[in-house]
Amino acid sequence: MLREGLRGPDRASPAEIGQINRVFSEAFTDRYQRDGLSGVRVPLLNPAIWRFAIEHAGDGAMVWRDGAGAIAAFNLAHRSGTEGWMGPLAVRPDCQGRGMGQTIVREGIRRLEAAGARTIGLETMPRTVDNIGFYSRLGFRPGHLTVSLTRAPGGAAARPAAVPRQEIVDRCRTLTEALAPGVDFSREIELTIGHGLGGVTLLTDQGEPSGFALWHTAPLAEGRPGEEARVLKLGARDLDAFRRLISAIERDAVGAGARQVSFRCQTAYGSAYEALLAAGYAVHWTDLRMTLSGKPELPAREGGVLFSNWEI
């Protein structure tokens, strides 16, 4: 039980997506307005994306309630093998200033540590010094940026090759394990394919996986058309494979009906960032990546590239 009648956490239910969505929109709109962006209104997210996020988080999908039983705050704490991250998380504006933010972040940390996460991180807006200070007081330290880069690709479309789901999962797991032992994106891949939210692009060399990308084409915002392929997870054996993977993703995305491709590039991979710029991608948005002290994000091995989106 929390002070002032707030209680939790309870496990989030798909039946509560409407409430969670409203808290998300109100909290982030309020944050932008306090940052001086008075004209920004954060839209409600696509319920299909919320279902994906809640199902992926599992026991880490948490809500806290007010005295009337309405959702006052939530935190989705995710784990991809040994990589743990939180997002999105929010406190309803009228419930802020009561220590709720600290409570939901600390509970996310506790659950991820108990589950064996060796990396614990999150992403926040670089311009928002209040957020950076808040997370810093809870033990998080700023690292590199995640830069969203977009491009409208030309060229011919290609329908992704028909590969059995289990083979896709196995090949992606094999390459991810080689790049970052312990990290595993299998659950995200299975949920994406199972819910029809997007697809996976695979590269192989002599039968061995050399690159993969998990992307969503389901619209992020509620009521918007699905015209963008958003690359959420990506692994490449080396820079050459990464460059070839860019072209393969574009062909698959156009084949899936996307008019634009978006990468969320971690700038720790400077050569990959330069490769995207050289391919014609333009910077669209930035997020600051922060990791808990003692639970850092480790780079991919042997010159590889590993992008892991910490947002939905």
Side-chain angles (χ1 to χ4, degrees):
M1 180 72 68
L2 301 174
R3 58 188 169 183
E4 299 188 40
L6 298 172
R7 60 180 176 83
D10 299 326
R11 182 164 175 169
S13 163
E16 298 173 308
I17 285 173
Q19 283 193 68
I20 294 170
N21 216 352
R22 286 190 294 275
V23 172
F24 168 83
S25 177
E26 291 169 5
F28 279 85
T29 296
D30 178 71
R31 177 71 264 177
Y32 279 118
Q33 290 175 349
R34 284 188 284 127
D35 281 348
L37 301 174
S38 58
V40 173
R41 175 72 188 176
V42 175
L44 298 173
L45 297 185
N46 181 351
I49 299 298
W50 280 117
R51 284 191 290 273
F52 166 83
I54 289 171
E55 192 169 347
H56 179 255
D59 289 341
M62 300 170 286
V63 296
W64 286 257
R65 306 178 193 280
D66 62 19
I71 292 175
F74 68 89
N75 184 2
L76 302 188
H78 305 263
R79 190 169 61 86
S80 303
T82 57
E83 179 186 80
W85 52 278
M86 289 179 272
L89 64 155
V91 176
R92 210 171 68 205
D94 65 301
C95 294
Q96 293 176 11
R98 309 183 193 182
M100 280 291 295
Q102 295 182 42
T103 296
I104 69 174
V105 172
R106 284 178 173 145
E107 181 61 21
I109 292 170
R110 188 191 70 78
R111 294 204 180 195
L112 291 172
E113 286 182 330
R118 295 201 296 263
T119 294
I120 297 179
L122 52 81
E123 291 181 343
T124 190
M125 294 175 283
R127 64 172 286 135
T128 307
V129 295
D130 288 347
N131 280 10
I132 296 169
F134 167 76
Y135 290 123
S136 294
R137 288 191 295 274
L138 291 174
F140 288 85
R141 298 295 177 258
H144 51 269
L145 294 176
T146 291
V147 179
S148 296
L149 300 106
T150 63
R151 185 173 104 86
R159 188 175 296 275
V163 179
R165 183 189 305 185
Q166 192 57 53
E167 183 176 343
I168 292 173
V169 171
D170 290 345
R171 289 186 176 188
C172 293
R173 184 190 296 119
T174 295
L175 182 55
T176 305
E177 179 66 22
L179 294 171
V183 177
D184 186 356
F185 302 137
S186 298
R187 184 66 174 151
E188 289 111 311
I189 293 169
E190 291 169 344
L191 288 171
T192 293
I193 296 172
H195 289 293
L197 299 177
V200 177
T201 296
L202 279 170
L203 283 184
T204 58
D205 290 327
Q206 297 181 341
E208 295 298 320
S210 58
F212 74 89
L214 170 67
W215 40 270
H216 281 185
T217 50
L220 189 56
E222 187 174 34
R224 302 238 180 121
E227 297 181 338
E228 180 181 60
R230 304 181 305 281
V231 177
L232 303 184
K233 308 290 181 182
L234 177 149
R237 183 181 58 200
D238 52 33
L239 189 59
D240 176 66
F242 177 75
R243 291 191 181 102
R244 290 185 286 121
L245 187 58
I246 294 172
S247 299
I249 293 166
E250 290 178 350
R251 290 192 297 270
D252 287 352
V254 172
R259 297 183 180 181
Q260 180 171 282
V261 175
S262 174
F263 286 80
R264 285 180 57 79
C265 171
Q266 279 82 70
T267 55
Y269 298 99
S271 296
Y273 181 70
E274 291 176 357
L276 286 167
L277 294 175
Y281 281 79
V283 173
H284 177 69
W285 192 255
T286 58
D287 289 288
L288 177 66
R289 213 152 164 101
M290 301 185 74
T291 54
L292 188 66
S293 181
K295 300 287 185 179
E297 182 179 13
L298 300 178
R301 287 181 168 182
E302 299 176 358
V305 177
L306 192 70
F307 291 170
S308 180
N309 180 50
W310 288 351
E311 294 281 350
I312 61 170

